[in-house]
Amino acid sequence: DSWKSPLMPPSKFAATRAAKNETRRKWQRARELAAQTVARKKFAENQFASSDSLGTALDSTPGFGRASGSSESLTSADEDPMRYLWRLEYYRRSSQPQLSVEVNGHEEVDSHTMYVLNCKLQHGGKDKDSAQTWSCRKRLAEFRSELHGPLKQALGDAYSVHFHETPFARHGGVPGTTARLAAWLSSLAKVANEGNLVTPLLALFLRWLQTPVPLESEQELEKLHHRMLPEPTPQKTEAGSRIVAI
């Protein structure tokens, strides 16, 4: 009798291995989705109810910069985050503004590498063409200490859920830093656009980008404030002879 090898044919072995690898990938993806679901649930339940970690992160953040030529159109870091975002047309309607940030290379300024960020805030509402564009320049150290550090500390476990595929730049400005920053910022903008940043963190991000606040927003806010004031209540005077508005 001819001897037969106990090994399966190469073609069948390759097919079996491919099937096992596919099963392994599916289980790995299922575990990742489960971990993400748990993290999102925990994040949604907490919402930084005990705002100690968020407060610590924001308190240690340096003052936010101002865009050149628009100092009067920018609010200070002391302004209430909800008020600040309203002035940028957040929370005014069902569709929220959509933010996009691109890293357009870098420049050398006074022996420092400055990364050029081109930003766009697409406003909602009827006018779909309404968009605000601006640029700012940031050093890697500013990325790390003013945005990445506070954000990662405040998000906690949810950070890895959103950024596991786009890790932050390495130390030292090594080759590939621009690409890493671009991918990381794109993920952060996506997180913001999907409503996964609580109000203080969203305000932190937009202030760090030096987002110009429309000059007319202050007047719009004053009009809204007056509309929300209660109407004067007519009351009788002590003599009861006439009605006055108190």
Side-chain angles (χ1 to χ4, degrees):
D1 294 338
S2 59
W3 178 82
K4 294 183 178 179
S5 170
L7 300 177
M8 66 177 66
S11 59
K12 187 176 181 180
F13 175 77
T16 302
R17 183 172 60 180
K20 288 183 177 179
N21 289 339
E22 180 62 25
T23 301
R24 188 179 296 110
R25 282 193 292 268
K26 288 182 179 179
W27 277 109
Q28 178 63 27
R29 182 57 179 162
R31 285 192 292 268
E32 291 176 355
L33 290 175
Q36 292 177 13
T37 301
V38 172
R40 287 195 182 99
K41 183 178 180 181
K42 182 179 179 181
F43 179 69
E45 289 175 350
N46 292 339
Q47 284 291 302
F48 303 110
S50 61
S51 58
D52 295 340
S53 62
L54 179 60
T56 302
L58 298 185
D59 290 343
S60 61
T61 303
F64 303 111
R66 294 179 178 273
S68 59
S70 59
S71 58
E72 294 184 358
S73 65
L74 272 175
T75 180
S76 69
D78 296 330
E79 184 176 17
D80 178 76
M82 181 71 75
R83 185 180 189 275
Y84 167 71
L85 292 174
W86 191 93
R87 296 176 67 191
L88 294 175
E89 298 197 16
Y90 282 88
Y91 312 130
R92 298 197 194 189
R93 50 184 68 90
S94 58
S95 59
Q96 300 302 320
Q98 297 293 293
L99 176 67
S100 61
V101 186
E102 297 178 352
V103 181
N104 189 23
H106 54 80
E107 303 172 349
E108 297 299 321
V109 180
D110 296 332
S111 301
H112 295 297
T113 301
M114 307 291 292
Y115 294 90
V116 182
L117 310 184
N118 291 338
C119 312
K120 179 179 180 180
L121 192 62
Q122 180 73 50
H123 300 295
K126 297 180 179 179
D127 187 5
K128 299 298 182 181
D129 296 328
S130 174
Q132 185 178 1
T133 59
W134 73 98
S135 297
C136 64
R137 289 165 174 76
K138 296 288 184 177
R139 296 173 56 190
L140 180 58
E142 294 174 312
F143 269 93
R144 195 178 302 278
S145 64
E146 298 177 5
L147 185 61
H148 175 261
L151 185 76
K152 185 175 182 179
Q153 180 181 349
L155 287 179
D157 294 339
Y159 178 86
S160 60
V161 174
H162 299 300
F163 298 97
H164 68 283
E165 294 182 353
T166 54
F168 191 68
R170 297 186 176 95
H171 287 274
V174 297
T177 296
T178 301
R180 278 189 170 235
L181 290 177
W184 187 83
L185 278 175
S186 179
S187 293
L188 181 52
K190 182 174 182 290
V191 172
N193 293 335
E194 292 177 347
N196 290 321
L197 287 183
V198 294
T199 298
L201 288 182
L202 180 58
L204 166 70
F205 185 25
L206 291 168
R207 282 171 170 153
W208 185 84
L209 290 173
Q210 303 175 342
T211 308
V213 178
L215 290 172
E216 64 274 11
S217 64
E218 190 65 38
Q219 288 74 23
E220 293 173 353
L221 198 60
E222 286 296 324
K223 292 179 181 178
L224 177 66
H225 175 70
H226 287 300
R227 286 201 302 268
M228 294 177 67
L229 289 176
E231 293 292 331
T233 303
Q235 295 182 3
K236 289 185 178 182
T237 61
E238 294 181 359
S241 57
R242 58 177 180 171
I243 302 296
V244 296
I246 304 301

